[in-house]
Amino acid sequence: MFELIPPAIYLLIGALLIGVTRGNARTAVLFLTPLVTLWAVWQVPDGVVLELPFLDYRIEPIEGSPVRRLFATIFAGMALVGGLYAFRQAKWYELAAAYAYAAGAVGVSFAGDLISLFLFWEVMALFSTVVVWCGGTPAARAAGIRYAVMHLLGGVILKVGIEGVVVHTGSIDVQPMLANNFDTWMMLIGILINAAAPPVSAWLADSYPESSPTGSVFLSAFTTKTAVLALILLFPGESVLIGIGLFMVMYGIIYALLENDIRRILAYSIVNQVGFMVCAIGIGTQMAINGAAAHAFAHIIYKALLFMSAGAVVYRTGMNKCTEVGGLFRTMPLTAICGIIGALAISGFPLTSGFTTKTMISQAAADESLAFVYMMLAAASAGVFLHAGIKFPWFVFFQKDSGLRPKDAPWNMGVAMVIFSVLCILLGVAPELLYKYLPYPVEYEAYTAGKVLFYTQLLLFSGLAFFLLLPLMKRTLTISLDTDWLWRVLLYRIGRALTATTAAIGNGVAGITQSLLSRLQSLAIRHMSTGANKEKPGVFARTWPIGSTALWIAVLLTGYVLVYYF
Amino acid sequence: MKPNADDHWLARPTTIKLLWRVFAVVLALTVLAQVFISVKGYFGVDGWFAFGAVFGFLSCLAMVLVAKGLGFFLKRDEDYYAEGDDDV
């Protein structure tokens, strides 16, 4: 009986229970719900498990496959460790929203048809917006609205695509397709919006850093990675994704280099990392899809770890900017060490999870003789170390002594960070733990001497470049414009200009009407005034008396009678 | 220069100097190691001696310079968007 309940439902129920429980009961709900979900995820066998009638369709809310279980596992695991990280600091409604958000992600993972996929997709959009709003500041409110607009728009575009595909093919199945007509393009665009692909990557770095220190940990995990899973399921081998992925990779690096806000650096680096996965899905070979899935799995862990480390700093110091912090390693050693482990993992240092997963993507590019892609990915790997691997820990924990002496992370945050740090290293030294759950059989050896040496050279000399170029990277109190300038400023200005123009036209029309009316009025007064207000009576008013009217009628009638008879 | 007694040992100039030396030695070793370990080149050039080192360094240099250049056009005051909100 339990196997007919979609695993996402457990998380949704948990989210509801968080609201109605208090104290220890709530803590129990927070920990048990993701555990039950994890158990449920692993009960889902391959193939369609549940079919339900919905309107004229048969929807399939539960369909299992290795890649679906892999993503659902890390989503549920993320809810568990994220819950541990947040449960003593976050507001209950943030936790509830985060769990419902995770439920959306798990739901998408097992959605066997486009209708259920869309439904859970929107659940994510809804509750992630709430998580952004839980930042609680006016900036968070505004960013949340922009975030919601972008995701609702993305949802509509996705829905247009789904409708088109359903009408034209008659199938609502989630199955591989290529973007070769309007419908499939709409679907692809709708998914890519959630993946923070260009030209709308800005929504991610705009909203995530405005959330609470705990909220950004949840936000970093779900939306973009469900988009990656959707791309794996729907558009594997769609070659346009290679170019989009490479652009995202470089975009993330450049913007992160320019950024001063600690969590915004990490937000840009999400775009960069998702770019690797999108590119791999575009390559589309078994090696590439394995690489994308493995990298997504590892990425959720080390990116959440980085956001946890940054979140602990923001929580303890109340500061968000590189220019305000520095030297925190003195009093926050655990947060610093965990942050550094996350930073090494994201950079793909040997013995970390980034190395054993990201190199699969490079290998896939090499196997397909995609020299340009391979070189760009290698350059990007160096760039990741530059913008996230060193920049983040350096400016936050070392750099100058800011004089701040905050306490280290609270114990629950610390335990969560240690768990994810251990996982980063575990998947680095024992990658086969992950490899055996990948969608295709893995024939890949991560640790060959040549490969290790190549990446060690690449990364260490990137480190050298960082320290030599430090003067060029002096942090400034600035933000960087992005395409969202088009709607946040240009569209706003156009809107204001239009309002001003229509107002001016309205005023002009009103003025003309006014003067016409007053002219009519004075005409009326001139001709029809009775003279009651002491002006000269009007010409019509003068003929007003009934006596003269009767006289004139009598004259006319007489005239008429005379004419009639003669 | 006498190190500031209050300061952490990691932040002392002597430690930093030592760290730079160790770093330089490690860098040299990773390049020299290629004498003994062959790096498989998929496209010819990437198997060249010290290719990873040079490529890593140069691509970082390029990315920093591009970022710096774009920064002239893209960087704005932190309250750039906040100003827009006020004059509604």
Side-chain angles (χ1 to χ4, degrees):
Chain A
M1 186 229 146
F2 285 115
E3 66 271 13
L4 294 181
I5 301 173
I9 297 297
Y10 297 110
L11 272 171
L12 271 182
I13 294 171
L16 288 174
L17 287 178
I18 288 171
V20 297
T21 48
R22 293 282 177 279
N24 288 338
R26 180 180 291 159
T27 311
V29 169
L30 275 164
F31 290 116
L32 287 178
T33 311
L35 285 173
V36 172
T37 311
L38 272 175
W39 169 80
V41 164
W42 283 94
Q43 301 309 307
V44 177
D46 286 354
V48 178
V49 179
L50 177 64
E51 261 196 50
L52 295 171
F54 175 76
L55 303 179
D56 284 342
Y57 305 103
R58 296 205 57 83
I59 60 168
E60 301 160 355
I62 319 178
E63 181 181 341
S65 74
V67 72
R68 289 167 179 274
R69 274 193 301 273
L70 185 75
F71 275 80
T73 303
I74 190 60
F75 291 147
M78 181 62 229
L80 179 66
V81 182
L84 170 64
Y85 178 82
F87 84 102
R88 288 175 65 239
Q89 284 77 26
K91 301 260 187 335
W92 70 267
Y93 45 86
E94 181 181 299
L95 291 167
Y99 273 44
Y101 177 27
V106 173
V108 169
S109 307
F110 287 121
D113 67 282
L114 296 170
I115 295 172
S116 337
L117 181 131
F118 180 75
L119 212 77
F120 286 116
W121 198 264
E122 292 301 295
V123 168
M124 283 199 309
L126 203 64
F127 289 103
S128 54
T129 306
V130 177
V131 175
V132 175
W133 275 331
C134 287
T137 58
R141 253 195 311 281
I145 290 170
R146 288 191 294 274
Y147 175 89
V149 168
M150 180 56 67
H151 285 269
L152 295 180
L153 185 73
V156 169
I157 295 174
L158 175 65
K159 189 74 178 116
V160 167
I162 290 176
E163 294 295 338
V165 168
V166 172
V167 168
H168 293 136
T169 68
S171 162
I172 59 167
D173 276 345
V174 169
Q175 57 194 352
M177 49 184 88
L178 290 176
N180 49 15
N181 57 32
F182 177 78
D183 311 330
T184 42
W185 265 109
M186 286 292 114
M187 276 182 67
L188 182 62
I189 291 170
I191 297 169
L192 281 174
I193 287 177
N194 265 28
V200 296
S201 314
W203 67 257
L204 198 155
D206 176 30
S207 55
Y208 287 8
E210 301 296 348
S211 63
S212 74
T214 46
S216 53
V217 173
F218 289 107
L219 288 168
S220 74
F222 301 122
T223 302
T224 46
K225 262 61 75 181
T226 38
V228 167
L229 175 63
L231 289 174
I232 291 178
L233 294 173
L234 291 163
F235 293 100
E238 171 51 64
S239 51
V240 71
L241 293 177
I242 297 179
I244 292 175
L246 287 182
F247 183 91
M248 289 169 73
V249 164
M250 289 302 163
Y251 161 93
I253 294 172
I254 300 291
Y255 272 85
L257 283 174
L258 290 172
E259 189 52 52
N260 186 29
D261 185 297
I262 304 167
R263 285 186 293 163
R264 197 156 279 142
I265 294 175
L266 299 178
Y268 282 123
S269 118
I270 294 180
V271 181
N272 158 277
Q273 294 290 300
V274 172
F276 277 94
M277 300 165 212
V278 170
C279 180
I281 299 165
I283 296 172
T285 57
Q286 293 197 351
M287 172 75 86
I289 298 295
N290 272 347
H295 194 220
F297 190 94
H299 165 82
I300 287 176
I301 296 172
Y302 57 64
K303 179 56 68 174
L305 176 58
L306 286 165
F307 267 104
M308 285 174 177
S309 173
V313 169
V314 174
Y315 177 71
R316 280 301 194 205
T317 65
M319 315 238 170
N320 279 307
K321 293 168 197 156
C322 290
T323 40
E324 297 169 334
V325 296
L328 298 181
F329 76 96
R330 292 175 178 82
T331 54
M332 301 187 80
L334 181 72
T335 308
I337 291 169
C338 291
I340 291 169
I341 291 175
L344 291 176
I346 197 174
S347 312
F349 253 91
L351 302 182
T352 66
S353 56
F355 181 78
T356 52
T357 57
K358 195 162 63 183
T359 51
M360 285 178 103
I361 299 175
S362 294
Q363 185 68 49
D367 290 347
E368 294 300 294
S369 305
L370 299 167
F372 178 72
V373 176
Y374 179 83
M375 289 301 172
M376 288 288 277
L377 291 180
S381 299
V384 174
F385 190 41
L386 196 66
H387 83 268
I390 316 185
K391 182 177 171 176
F392 165 70
W394 171 258
F395 280 106
V396 175
F397 298 111
F398 301 100
Q399 197 200 170
K400 63 192 198 238
D401 183 4
S402 60
L404 297 170
R405 295 290 183 270
K407 280 200 282 188
D408 208 333
W411 69 265
N412 59 310
M413 290 188 169
V415 174
M417 288 193 286
V418 169
I419 292 175
F420 271 0
S421 301
V422 169
L423 277 176
C424 282
I425 295 170
L426 186 66
L427 296 179
V429 293
E432 57 285 352
L433 290 175
L434 177 60
Y435 287 174
K436 65 178 170 194
Y437 296 111
L438 295 182
Y440 300 104
V442 177
E443 291 159 19
Y444 175 66
E445 185 62 58
Y447 289 105
T448 63
K451 213 176 287 172
V452 171
L453 183 62
F454 175 74
Y455 281 101
T456 311
Q457 276 187 11
L458 188 79
L459 294 174
L460 289 182
F461 276 84
S462 310
L464 177 68
F466 177 86
F467 287 108
L468 291 181
L469 299 173
L470 255 183
L472 285 180
M473 287 194 274
K474 202 168 164 346
R475 296 295 84 231
T476 49
L477 292 170
T478 51
I479 56 155
S480 305
L481 294 187
D482 203 326
T483 46
D484 61 348
W485 180 86
L486 291 175
W487 47 95
R488 289 177 72 177
V489 176
L490 188 65
L491 208 63
Y492 176 69
R493 281 185 193 160
I494 290 174
R496 264 203 334 186
L498 276 179
T499 320
T501 319
T502 44
I505 292 173
N507 285 340
V509 170
I512 292 168
T513 334
Q514 193 61 48
S515 73
L516 271 178
L517 276 177
S518 61
R519 241 187 246 181
L520 270 176
Q521 196 186 7
S522 60
L523 261 179
I525 288 173
R526 183 140 32 97
H527 293 294
M528 298 183 204
S529 170
T530 56
N533 293 329
K534 291 185 183 163
E535 70 271 83
K536 200 175 150 211
V539 66
F540 291 111
R542 270 180 269 149
T543 60
W544 169 244
I546 290 174
S548 54
T549 312
L551 176 69
W552 275 109
I553 290 173
V555 171
L556 275 171
L557 278 176
T558 316
Y560 176 75
V561 168
L562 288 175
V563 170
Y564 184 77
Y565 281 107
F566 302 100
Chain B
M1 196 168 74
K2 200 182 164 208
N4 185 349
D6 294 339
D7 216 345
H8 196 278
W9 61 270
L10 248 177
R12 285 176 206 153
T14 43
T15 321
I16 291 168
K17 198 178 271 178
L18 180 72
L19 282 175
W20 266 109
R21 289 202 182 131
V22 172
F23 188 40
V25 172
V26 172
L27 286 177
L29 283 179
T30 55
V31 175
L32 289 178
Q34 214 174 333
V35 176
F36 310 104
I37 301 169
S38 78
V39 171
K40 187 179 169 193
Y42 299 98
F43 307 101
V45 285
D46 51 336
W48 288 1
F49 187 75
F51 176 80
V54 174
F55 188 72
F57 188 86
L58 290 183
S59 45
C60 284
L61 182 66
M63 283 183 274
V64 170
L65 291 179
V66 168
K68 192 86 187 152
L70 280 175
F72 285 118
F73 301 102
L74 297 178
K75 279 192 173 185
R76 289 292 184 281
D77 256 7
E78 284 177 310
D79 46 5
Y80 176 76
Y81 285 115
E83 283 167 11
D85 291 344
D86 289 335
D87 57 2
V88 176

